Amino acid sequence: MKSETGVGGQTETRAKIIDVAARLLQEHGPAAVTTRGVAQGAGIQAPTIYRLFGDKDGLLDAVAEHVMATYVSAKHVVAETASIENIPPLEDLRAGWKMQIDFGVANPTLFTRLSVPGHGSHSAAAQAGLEVLRSRVRRVASTGRLRVSEERAVDLIRAAGTGTVLTLLSKPAEELDGPLADIMFDAVLREILTDAPASYPTGPTAAAVALRAVDPELHMLTHAERQLLSEWLDRVIDAR
């Protein structure tokens, strides 16, 4: 068995333990993530796991953060590419939805854990993922298609996505490729979008949401003026 010393050694050992636990979880399920199994796979003494993570729950939380961070990094790259290559906002939003559903189905234990309040929902990786979703929704808002606030749209997409994954995970494996995810996404779009062409916002709410999305870019206004404009626009949006 290998012992770790110093901050650098502990960091390396911690990363190795997380990698081993993540692999065991992915290949054999949560039952395989035992202190003994992880210790053997990482080449360390079992007490090291308790010293670094506290208990098995602490280890699983660290694994969830690691897997989520890797996923969010890839998700961020896709979102940035969509913006640079001018991929239509709705197409980009749908791609993000599909990534989220695929991630949840591929990582049932971690997704279920992350969906429980207090288990990773406020982690750095989870918050970074939320910011990616917000940026995608903001792109849609800037076209004038949103008829609800950006915050409401984000909440609806998150709630529908979580519910869809948990429902799929409760079904037999042969039903995972069914139309449920697409149907749910289309239902959310009907709730948050106007029917107008993207280049022609109609009605005060759609126009206010579109202007609110680009409010931070109105540098010809002072900070105080932008704040006042934001307040006015939020009143129009909330009055819906």
Side-chain angles (χ1 to χ4, degrees):
M1 294 286 184
K2 179 182 177 182
S3 62
E4 79 288 345
T5 57
V7 176
Q10 284 193 356
T11 301
E12 181 181 345
T13 299
R14 190 177 191 277
K16 188 170 185 179
I17 291 171
I18 291 173
D19 285 340
V20 170
R23 176 172 51 79
L24 289 173
L25 185 64
Q26 181 70 31
E27 296 177 357
H28 306 290
V33 186
T34 64
T35 301
R36 180 179 180 181
V38 173
Q40 287 181 340
I44 49 95
Q45 298 287 342
T48 301
I49 296 175
Y50 294 105
R51 184 166 65 253
L52 294 177
F53 301 97
D55 53 21
K56 183 176 178 178
D57 274 350
L59 174 57
L60 287 175
D61 284 342
V63 171
E65 175 73 4
H66 168 70
V67 175
M68 175 62 81
T70 302
Y71 161 68
V72 169
S73 178
K75 188 175 182 179
H76 181 70
V77 170
V78 172
E80 278 196 334
T81 300
S83 180
I84 293 172
E85 296 183 357
N86 204 27
I87 294 175
L90 283 180
E91 185 178 323
D92 181 36
L93 187 63
R94 186 179 291 274
W97 168 274
K98 187 177 186 309
M99 282 186 70
Q100 183 73 3
I101 300 301
D102 289 346
F103 172 79
V105 171
N107 299 274
T109 301
L110 294 184
F111 187 89
T112 302
R113 189 176 188 83
L114 290 168
S115 299
V116 176
H119 279 289
S121 58
H122 299 295
S123 71
Q127 291 304 307
L130 180 57
E131 284 305 311
V132 173
L133 173 58
R134 284 176 176 148
S135 70
R136 283 185 160 120
V137 170
R138 190 167 298 116
R139 288 190 69 214
V140 176
S142 68
T143 69
R145 290 295 307 275
L146 280 189
R147 63 186 181 92
V148 299
S149 68
E150 290 180 39
E151 181 180 3
R152 174 63 61 85
V154 168
D155 286 345
L156 286 170
I157 294 168
R158 291 178 68 196
T162 299
T164 298
V165 173
L166 294 178
T167 299
L168 287 172
L169 292 178
S170 70
K171 293 181 172 295
E174 60 270 17
E175 295 183 26
L176 293 181
D177 292 329
L180 177 64
D182 289 336
I183 292 173
M184 282 301 299
F185 184 72
D186 289 338
V188 172
L189 291 187
R190 286 194 294 272
E191 178 63 25
I192 68 176
L193 297 182
T194 67
D195 294 328
S199 56
Y200 298 100
T202 61
T205 300
V209 172
L211 184 55
R212 186 70 172 81
V214 299
D215 185 13
E217 301 173 20
L218 302 178
H219 302 300
M220 69 291 296
L221 303 179
T222 67
H223 177 69
E225 289 171 336
R226 289 199 301 271
Q227 278 193 316
L228 183 58
L229 177 60
S230 296
E231 291 177 9
W232 289 343
L233 293 172
D234 286 341
R235 287 171 60 186
V236 173
I237 295 168
D238 293 339
R240 172 182 174 265

